[in-house]
Amino acid sequence: MEESMRKRLDATLKRFHDLEEELASPDIAEDVAKLTKLSKERSNLEEAATKYELFLTLESHNKEALEMENSGDPELVELAKEERKENIAKMEAMEEEFKVLLLPKDPNDDKNIIVEIRGAVGGDEANIFAGDLMRMYAKYAEKQGWKLQLLDASLGAAGGYSSVSFMIKGENVYSKLKFESGAHRVQRVPKTEASGRIHTSTATVLVMPEAEEVDVQINPNDLKIDTYHSQGAGGQNVNKTESAVRITHLPTGLVVACQTEKAQLQNKEIAMQMIRAKVLAYFQEKEDAKRASERKLKVGTGERSEKIRTYNYPQNRVTDHRIGFTVQKLDRIMEGELDEVIDALIHFDQEQKMLEEQENA
């Protein structure tokens, strides 16, 4: 193992044990914020620390086996050689895993997300496709054991949504869906097309990590809050009370709305979650743009205008243009079987990060 990797793993293991000591302290239970922060850090380090402890054990066994090889006993020598051979193979495989485990962690990876999907180019068909994407992510979330909460929706005239916002809560949601932001293109014969011609339409997806109040400071004076009568899927309160809430962040011009709950206060709380996420994403994008010399995410900048994926129905094909990845499984992907695409994106991103680490070493 390279000395630089060993030093980083030693530091990781030490920090992991320090965290376990801190978390075992009776006083920590009184500070919920600190307990949550340290628990998350411990969880992030656990896999690398546990695997490195196993690596050190194998290394120790190898030293013992080497001593056995020098014992002169033919039977012991053969056993020792076999043990060392097996251990070395395991350790070499673990070293490859460490390369990934030691990559810088995205601080947002373990966060819940807010997703906004809009029908873009293509009129009614774009809105129908936006609805199809919403259903795809809902199916995927269900398979992952995540929970989906509808935040706001504007129905399309022919079906689907002109825009829809929803939250997905669960374990490491952002880490798996953060590469979904961008323009998604569909090629198919629309239900509204009588002549059977294939049309191309697009819908845009924006994935934002959920932002807590500590993540982004918003001055209440910078917010314009309007209330209005719910429309569409608003339940019994549609058009009866001003339960729907729209919030505008005046410095950025960002706007969110929520009308899914019956009570205005609940809608306002949800809208505040949405505006925090949008403002955080806005300023994060500005910050990233400043870092011209820093790595731009090779699998996409997350800009709505960037065409990231094509869903071709006649050929049952899905192509992710950022990494040149194609599968003939569109029917299954639209049923939420996204793992193959998502895993390819994550793997590609990890490869790019490892290349950077090598260049900067």
Side-chain angles (χ1 to χ4, degrees):
M1 178 184 288
E2 292 180 4
E3 191 60 30
S4 59
M5 179 183 285
R6 187 179 293 275
K7 284 181 179 178
R8 291 173 68 185
L9 286 166
D10 284 337
T12 298
L13 186 57
K14 182 180 183 304
R15 179 59 182 159
F16 179 74
H17 288 314
D18 289 345
L19 285 168
E20 291 201 310
E21 283 185 22
E22 282 191 73
L23 289 167
S25 169
D27 300 332
I28 193 71
E30 298 174 9
D31 190 339
V32 178
K34 187 176 182 182
L35 175 63
T36 303
K37 182 182 177 183
L38 295 182
S39 296
K40 282 185 178 180
E41 186 182 356
R42 182 199 174 280
S43 178
N44 288 336
L45 297 179
E46 184 174 12
E47 187 177 359
T50 304
K51 205 174 285 285
Y52 185 48
E53 284 184 327
L54 177 57
F55 182 91
L56 293 175
T57 301
L58 292 174
E59 203 169 49
S60 176
H61 288 172
N62 270 1
K63 289 179 182 177
E64 293 171 5
L66 191 59
E67 291 175 6
M68 287 170 62
E69 284 185 41
N70 297 326
S71 66
D73 184 325
E75 189 173 339
L76 283 177
V77 168
E78 193 59 35
L79 283 171
K81 282 183 178 180
E82 188 61 31
E83 182 181 355
R84 284 187 69 230
K85 183 179 177 182
E86 290 179 8
N87 286 348
I88 288 170
K90 290 178 184 176
M91 291 165 68
E92 287 177 349
M94 290 169 75
E95 283 191 44
E96 291 303 309
E97 293 175 20
F98 288 140
K99 290 178 183 178
V100 174
L101 290 172
L102 289 174
L103 289 174
K105 295 284 192 301
D106 186 330
N108 293 320
D109 274 352
D110 61 349
K111 290 188 176 182
N112 300 323
I113 62 172
I114 291 175
V115 183
E116 183 180 273
I117 304 176
R118 292 181 179 274
V121 179
D124 287 340
E125 170 63 6
N127 294 341
I128 292 169
F129 180 50
D132 293 338
L133 290 177
M134 160 79 174
R135 180 178 177 276
M136 177 184 76
Y137 292 127
K139 289 277 189 181
Y140 179 70
E142 184 181 353
K143 292 176 190 296
Q144 298 295 314
W146 299 337
K147 291 183 179 179
L148 186 145
Q149 177 188 4
L150 184 66
L151 302 179
D152 188 50
S154 297
L155 298 175
Y161 300 98
S162 59
S163 69
V164 60
S165 300
F166 52 93
M167 176 178 281
I168 300 180
K169 298 180 178 181
E171 187 176 349
N172 297 320
V173 180
Y174 185 74
S175 71
K176 293 195 173 182
L177 291 179
K178 62 184 175 183
F179 300 130
E180 293 302 298
S181 291
H184 295 239
R185 181 174 70 172
V186 63
Q187 295 174 326
R188 64 185 177 189
V189 179
K191 296 174 184 176
T192 54
E193 173 60 54
S195 65
R197 290 187 300 114
I198 294 173
H199 284 224
T200 297
S201 305
T202 60
T204 61
V205 176
L206 178 62
V207 176
M208 300 167 284
E210 183 184 14
E212 303 293 339
E213 289 186 46
V214 294
D215 297 323
V216 55
Q217 299 295 322
I218 295 180
N219 187 335
N221 295 326
D222 289 340
L223 299 178
K224 180 187 176 188
I225 301 176
D226 300 305
T227 58
Y228 58 99
H229 294 296
S230 295
Q231 300 174 7
Q236 296 178 350
N237 285 7
V238 174
N239 295 327
K240 292 183 180 179
T241 62
E242 289 197 348
S243 59
V245 175
R246 181 188 299 109
I247 298 179
T248 304
H249 184 248
L250 299 173
T252 60
L254 296 169
V255 181
V256 300
C258 182
Q259 57 178 327
T260 56
E261 304 298 323
K262 293 180 181 179
Q264 185 186 112
L265 183 60
Q266 290 175 299
N267 283 326
K268 184 180 177 183
E269 288 175 357
I270 292 171
M272 281 302 300
Q273 286 182 301
M274 295 166 71
I275 200 67
R276 279 199 298 267
K278 270 204 163 184
V279 169
L280 181 64
Y282 175 87
F283 284 112
Q284 187 63 58
E285 185 180 333
K286 293 281 187 185
E287 186 65 26
D288 290 342
K290 289 179 184 177
R291 300 171 182 167
S293 59
E294 204 168 288
R295 170 181 174 268
K296 268 286 184 186
L297 191 60
K298 298 298 191 301
V299 293
T301 61
E303 293 175 359
R304 284 185 186 272
S305 60
E306 180 189 9
K307 182 185 72 180
I308 65 167
R309 195 176 296 151
T310 293
Y311 303 73
N312 184 293
Y313 275 73
Q315 298 178 22
N316 197 37
R317 185 186 77 233
V318 173
T319 299
D320 196 288
H321 304 289
R322 296 164 295 181
I323 59 174
F325 180 82
T326 298
V327 284
Q328 307 286 141
K329 300 176 183 178
L330 181 144
D331 53 340
R332 288 157 60 180
I333 284 170
M334 298 310 292
E335 288 299 313
E337 296 184 24
L338 275 165
D339 283 323
E340 194 171 348
V341 178
I342 287 171
D343 288 347
L345 287 162
I346 291 172
H347 181 67
F348 183 86
D349 185 52
Q350 289 172 343
E351 285 184 335
Q352 296 299 311
K353 287 178 177 175
M354 282 191 281
L355 284 172
E356 275 200 352
E357 292 240 320
Q358 290 172 11
E359 290 173 3
N360 297 330

